[in-house]
Amino acid sequence: MKVLDSELIKGFTRMCQDGFDQGWHERNGGNLSYRMKDEEVAGLKDDFSFDAEWQEIGTEVPELHDLYFVVTGSGRYMRNMQTDPASNLCIIRLDSTGTKYQIVWGLVNGGRPTSELPTHLMNLQVLKRRDEDIRVVYHCHPANVIALTYVLPLNDRVFTREIFEMATECPVVFPKGIGVIPWLLCGGKLIGEATAKVMETKDFAVWAHHGAFACGTDFDITFGLMHTVEKAAEVLVKVMSITDRKLNTITPDQFRELNKPFGIEIDEQFLYERKTDLIGEIPED
Ligand code: 13P
Ligand code: ZN
């Protein structure tokens, strides 16, 4: 089968378009990666070419050796992915050591995979170890999540709890919470290591003053997670535009009521008792 006719590329580029339509991808902002299934590789391999030079990834991901990934191109615009995938994204395979990649399809006018490739692959490596079915990693620049990184403490517990309180759906969708990474230089191994550390236990990482990363088993789940966090962040931005304190909110015991009916276990570290009604209060313990 031709790559361009595959459901995989349709689903991948639809997600890029959906993110653009939400306003999360100004210019070339954001990137998307997908770890291919063996049967997807087998079905599309006839359309691949194995002539391109091997390139350094810039980090080591030995557990992903010889695997194939769909990734957006560096400097490419999400708004162009659906109309011209062959010019704007690529399929890469990793070498037997997990330190080099080769483009086997796409980026027909030249170029390289996203500058965040080290972070994507380091995330995909820890996620595969956590759950073999997690194969999508998504990075975007959602305005409300970013705005909160200027006014909330950059603390996983506080950030998660404040977002949780903005929608009952939040702890149901991401009961393990959000990890917050302080400003670090993007595009390298260090920020990749920090993000992968978050992804060892959580599905969502915030890069302060930059954007967010979400992961999932498919495009719907991953997009839905980003959408849920950004929507809750939007509500919080509205609340904080009115006041620095809440008159009403969801209590820790009310959150605990969700566990059984929804078959989840909300991490108790986020259900601390508040001493005040101030938004962004740091717990004492
Ligand atoms: P790329 O164009 O290299 O994917 O970079 C976009 C981005 O959002 C960097 O964090
Ligand atoms: Zn970015």
Side-chain angles (χ1 to χ4, degrees), residues 26 28-32 72-76 112-116 139-141 186-187 207 210 213:
E26 76 291 342
N28 64 307
N31 23 75
L32 178 62
T72 50
S74 185
R76 302 309 162 103
R112 59 185 176 87
T114 171
S115 57
E116 306 298 358
H139 168 57
C140 67
H141 299 170
C186 57
W207 281 5
H210 180 144
F213 270 83

Side-chain angles (χ1 to χ4, degrees), residues 19-91:
F20 174 75
D21 293 344
Q22 290 295 326
W24 301 341
H25 296 291
E26 76 291 342
R27 205 171 181 279
N28 64 307
N31 23 75
L32 178 62
S33 64
Y34 173 86
R35 175 170 57 84
M36 290 175 73
K37 298 175 183 166
D38 291 345
E39 60 268 29
E40 288 166 335
V41 174
L44 299 176
K45 220 168 181 171
D46 287 348
D47 204 18
F48 294 170
S49 142
F50 297 95
D51 303 327
E53 298 260 311
W54 288 96
Q55 311 278 350
E56 297 288 338
I57 297 169
T59 190
E60 314 80 46
V61 282
E63 292 163 60
L64 301 180
H65 71 91
D66 299 306
L67 295 180
Y68 289 73
F69 302 84
V70 187
V71 288
T72 50
S74 185
R76 302 309 162 103
Y77 293 24
M78 289 300 211
R79 66 188 285 265
N80 294 331
M81 293 293 162
Q82 213 166 26
T83 44
D84 191 1
S87 305
N88 293 295
L89 60 83
C90 61
I91 296 176

